[in-house]
Amino acid sequence: MSRAVGERVSSLLVLWLLLGSWVCPGSTELRAPPDKIAIIGAGIGGTSAAYYLRQKFGKDVKIDVYERGEVGGRLATLTVQGQEYEAGGSVIHPLNLHMKRFVKDLGLSTVQSSGGLVGVSNGEALVFEESSWLIINIIKLIWQYGFQPLRLHMWVEDIFDKFMRIYRYQSHDYAFSSVENLLHSLGGDDFLGIFNQTLLETLQKAGFSGKFLDEMVAPINRVNYGQGTDLNGFVGAVSLACTDSGLWAVEGGNKLVCSGLLQASKSNLISGSVMSIEEKTRTKQTGNPTKMYEIVYRSGSGTHSDFYDIIIVATPLNQKMSNITFLNFDPPIEEFHQYYQHIVTTLIKGKLNSTAFTSRALDKFDLHTVLITGNSDLFINSIGIVSSVKDNNDPQPSTDGTYVWKTFSQKTLTKEQILKLFLSHEYAVKQQWLAYPRYKPPEKSPPIILHDRLYYLNGIERAASAMEMSAIAAHNAALLAYHRWNGHTHMIDQEDLYEKLKTEL
Ligand SMILES: Cc1cc2nc3c(=O)[nH]c(=O)nc-3n(C[C@H](O)[C@H](O)[C@H](O)COP(=O)(O)OP(=O)(O)OC[C@H]3O[C@@H](n4cnc5c(N)ncnc54)[C@H](O)[C@@H]3O)c2cc1C
Ligand SMILES: *[C@@H]1O[C@H](CO)[C@@H](O)[C@H](O)[C@H]1NC(C)=O
Ligand SMILES: *[C@@H]1O[C@H](CO)[C@@H](O)[C@H](O)[C@H]1NC(C)=O
Ligand SMILES: *[C@@H]1O[C@H](CO)[C@@H](O)[C@H](O)[C@H]1NC(C)=O
């Protein structure tokens, strides 16, 4: 054998060996894990990413979590007279399995979100009013809306059933490279269709009446997402699922999940504001030049920088919310010009003025929640009695007979507005949020993969913004980062997963 041929054979052999470890589906050989991973944002998205990254990459990788505000982000509490109340994300659905799992793993306790009677006001009258008698409610609902409430429930349940497939995919380690691919794997073209259309279009086509949409569906969306029926059908279904029973919260505050996950994942919290990210070539201890990302951040002690193999961005990318500059990327990574709604949470302890919601004289106003229709002059999205994060019982009035009420509004309430809503009040505190996206279908989700090893979680909020959605995006990004690091392309964007996993079990 001539030398040239020998060389050719051996280089083919090398190539074959290399390829084998990269593309063989059964291959278990892994590349050495990354040294350092950064996560930007310590909300539920960032902290659950830390948890899943630790699970996938093992104990040796160093995980830094950057947070410029408080751990918890949009999960936070406000204090009224020594008691804490949820000010941001507050209720969790019984089928939100990641949140459930976190609470169990972290040894936290839960509280049930108490119901209480709900009414819907147009500012002049109550267009719907729940009664404490179940049978009366059913008769009322059928009288006013026929079987539409039942049909709507079934529509939401069908979407939820399909949505639940994500847990099976993720427990088998499958990942998706875009929000659209993820949605498609759950519910096919139907899911992309409802994501692309307004809830109004979808439900009108399904034969729901304008009256039902205005009086029931829109007010529910307004409390959950600050919009009526012009949001996409997917977030609409998430919003409507909030009427299911069994909603819960974390005792002591939902934000405890975030601090718990940080600790459980043995991550390192860095209090500072990330200003820029840039890819640079570095020489590691091994001596090989490696591409890494440099993070420049500002903390109390000045401006610093550090290098990472992988970065997860776990905050909405826009100037108002994160203000991160991506330097010298080609093609450029720009913020996605996503408009987030300004929502103000106000907690008020006092006696409600029921005439603000119905002109009918009432001897007893026993509603615990008032939802608001779109055509009212009222300046709030909703108002309801809340229990403290420690309270596992129905909210109790204090000795003077007053409750703590929570309202959501687009703008900060003026003194006059509070005086209009309450006959008397002794206390009011507020928290402003850039709360959730302003939904405007048809829309496209921002990418999950911003660059080779740079991932973005919050694009999933375009489908729906909720704690569980951020946790799902975090699990997905951890799996995606892991598979891409190890070249396991067959674990990414698999088609027909539902059928495949059905036969596997
Ligand atoms: C009023 C309100 C009510 C809600 N109700 C519910 C509900 O009942 N149920 C539900 O499931 N969801 C609810 N949500 C939505 C839910 O709260 C959010 O979807 C979820 O908390 C988002 O988590 P996240 O980690 O993705 O983002 P965030 O919580 O926003 O976390 C991002 C973090 O990144 C930090 N950060 C940003 N930029 C930088 C930077 N440059 N450097 C360092 N750190 C940075 C921020 O300070 C923040 O802490 C509600 C939201 C609001 C506002
Ligand atoms: C969703 O809308 C976009 C933009 O209008 C369009 O390009 C896309 O084909 C639509 N997708 C589906 C599944 O309807
Ligand atoms: C964004 O950051 C730049 C510097 O990194 C700063 O000059 C600018 O004021 C910041 N903008 C906002 C809205 O915080
Ligand atoms: C209660 O609300 C009604 C209707 O908005 C208003 O006319 C009235 O003045 C309010 N009552 C008090 C005591 O503020």
Side-chain angles (χ1 to χ4, degrees):
M1 190 160 49
S2 77
R3 225 192 105 180
V5 172
E7 230 171 40
R8 203 179 145 72
V9 169
S10 62
S11 60
L12 267 176
L13 207 71
V14 168
L15 190 70
W16 181 76
L17 282 172
L18 268 177
L19 279 176
S21 67
W22 276 73
V23 298
C24 273
S27 125
T28 49
E29 262 177 66
L30 295 180
R31 184 178 161 194
D35 294 328
K36 279 168 77 186
I37 301 178
I39 297 168
I40 305 172
I44 188 65
T47 55
S48 45
Y51 176 90
Y52 289 118
L53 286 165
R54 176 66 71 206
Q55 241 179 30
K56 290 316 297 176
F57 283 109
K59 64 180 184 8
D60 292 330
V61 54
K62 185 164 183 273
I63 302 177
D64 285 344
V65 180
Y66 288 88
E67 173 54 60
R68 71 169 173 198
E70 301 287 322
V71 170
R74 275 173 277 168
L75 307 184
T77 54
L78 275 172
T79 305
V80 176
Q81 295 188 321
Q83 300 273 4
E84 284 179 81
Y85 298 84
E86 293 291 352
S90 52
V91 295
I92 304 166
H93 193 275
L95 292 177
N96 285 170
L97 300 189
H98 287 331
M99 290 302 293
K100 245 174 136 164
R101 160 94 185 269
F102 295 154
V103 165
K104 187 158 168 268
D105 280 7
L106 298 172
L108 295 167
S109 304
T110 62
V111 290
Q112 291 300 310
S113 300
S114 43
L117 302 181
V118 181
V120 181
S121 167
N122 61 13
E124 303 256 289
L126 293 167
V127 294
F128 183 80
E129 193 181 349
E130 215 179 10
S131 138
S132 41
W133 297 91
L134 180 66
I135 186 72
I136 294 189
N137 282 327
I138 294 174
I139 293 170
K140 263 190 177 174
L141 277 173
I142 293 181
W143 176 255
Q144 286 185 247
Y145 309 111
F147 287 100
Q148 296 186 78
L150 183 66
R151 277 183 53 218
L152 185 68
H153 181 76
M154 285 159 61
W155 180 79
V156 172
E157 205 158 75
D158 181 53
I159 291 174
F160 232 83
D161 278 351
K162 291 183 177 137
F163 180 72
M164 295 295 285
R165 294 174 180 172
I166 189 63
Y167 299 113
R168 182 183 283 188
Y169 300 168
Q170 293 194 328
S171 72
H172 282 81
D173 271 8
Y174 286 101
F176 301 93
S177 66
S178 73
V179 172
E180 276 83 0
N181 287 354
L182 188 153
L183 289 178
H184 192 265
S185 81
L186 298 176
D189 291 341
D190 286 358
F191 257 40
L192 286 182
I194 59 167
F195 175 53
N196 241 0
Q197 278 185 348
T198 66
L199 183 67
L200 182 70
E201 288 169 308
T202 303
L203 293 185
Q204 266 177 345
K205 272 186 209 148
F208 289 90
S209 74
K211 176 177 154 70
F212 179 66
L213 293 174
D214 288 346
E215 296 182 357
M216 281 284 172
V217 177
I220 292 170
N221 294 338
R222 200 161 289 116
V223 56
N224 290 317
Y225 290 105
Q227 277 184 258
T229 50
D230 54 344
L231 34 63
N232 77 65
F234 187 77
V235 66
V238 170
S239 163
L240 292 165
C242 288
T243 59
D244 289 352
S245 57
L247 300 181
W248 56 281
V250 179
E251 185 178 334
N254 295 328
K255 64 182 180 184
L256 294 183
V257 175
C258 301
S259 45
L261 290 173
L262 269 184
Q263 222 176 13
S265 64
K266 300 196 164 58
S267 310
N268 175 36
L269 177 67
I270 298 177
S271 294
S273 190
V274 171
M275 295 175 354
S276 66
I277 300 174
E278 183 173 11
E279 195 186 33
K280 290 195 171 162
T281 303
R282 295 267 292 170
T283 307
K284 286 197 176 182
Q285 283 110 332
T286 52
N288 297 328
T290 315
K291 291 204 160 164
M292 295 186 83
Y293 296 111
E294 181 181 39
I295 282 189
V296 174
Y297 66 99
R298 196 179 301 148
S299 72
S301 59
T303 303
H304 311 269
S305 76
D306 208 342
F307 285 89
Y308 297 93
D309 298 292
I310 295 174
I311 296 182
I312 311 268
V313 179
T315 168
L317 279 178
N318 64 47
Q319 217 178 35
K320 282 187 189 154
M321 295 174 83
S322 48
N323 199 15
I324 298 169
T325 310
F326 295 88
L327 291 168
N328 303 320
F329 282 90
D330 182 25
I333 302 172
E334 292 171 75
E335 46 180 68
F336 307 103
H337 302 289
Q338 312 256 348
Y339 179 71
Y340 271 64
Q341 296 182 60
H342 185 228
I343 296 283
V344 186
T345 306
T346 314
L347 292 175
I348 302 158
K349 188 167 187 307
K351 265 203 173 68
L352 200 70
N353 173 9
S354 63
T355 3
F357 304 100
T358 168
S359 48
R360 188 158 54 96
L362 299 167
D363 44 337
K364 190 161 165 268
F365 186 82
D366 51 6
L367 297 180
H368 274 201
T369 303
V370 186
L371 308 180
I372 316 287
T373 63
N375 52 357
S376 87
D377 291 334
L378 282 167
F379 35 81
I380 55 172
N381 291 343
S382 64
I383 189 162
I385 295 174
V386 284
S387 336
S388 88
V389 296
K390 291 255 152 64
D391 219 343
N392 210 350
N393 303 308
D394 283 347
Q396 298 297 316
S398 52
T399 42
D400 60 355
T402 64
Y403 289 96
V404 175
W405 295 82
K406 171 152 78 178
T407 85
F408 294 130
S409 53
Q410 319 268 348
K411 293 196 187 128
T412 302
L413 297 180
T414 62
K415 262 212 171 75
E416 292 69 39
Q417 288 175 327
I418 294 179
L419 286 172
K420 210 179 148 201
L421 295 177
F422 287 86
L423 297 172
S424 64
H425 75 279
E426 44 184 312
Y427 210 88
V429 286
K430 66 165 195 288
Q431 164 100 46
Q432 313 206 26
W433 299 107
L434 287 169
Y436 18 70
R438 172 96 204 161
Y439 293 99
K440 221 168 164 229
E443 47 197 353
K444 216 179 134 28
S445 263
I448 295 175
I449 303 171
L450 296 180
H451 188 252
D452 194 20
R453 289 150 290 117
L454 178 54
Y455 301 93
Y456 178 44
L457 296 191
N458 291 72
I460 204 156
E461 288 189 77
R462 291 307 322 167
S465 173
M467 293 175 237
E468 185 73 7
M469 295 301 286
S470 286
I472 285 171
H475 197 175
N476 181 63
L479 291 169
L480 190 61
Y482 178 78
H483 294 320
R484 281 166 56 88
W485 184 264
N486 290 301
H488 295 164
T489 47
H490 62 287
M491 296 303 289
I492 301 168
D493 292 335
Q494 272 279 354
E495 301 271 339
D496 303 321
L497 261 187
Y498 181 65
E499 292 303 321
K500 277 181 194 148
L501 292 177
K502 217 154 86 186
T503 52
E504 191 171 296
L505 288 181

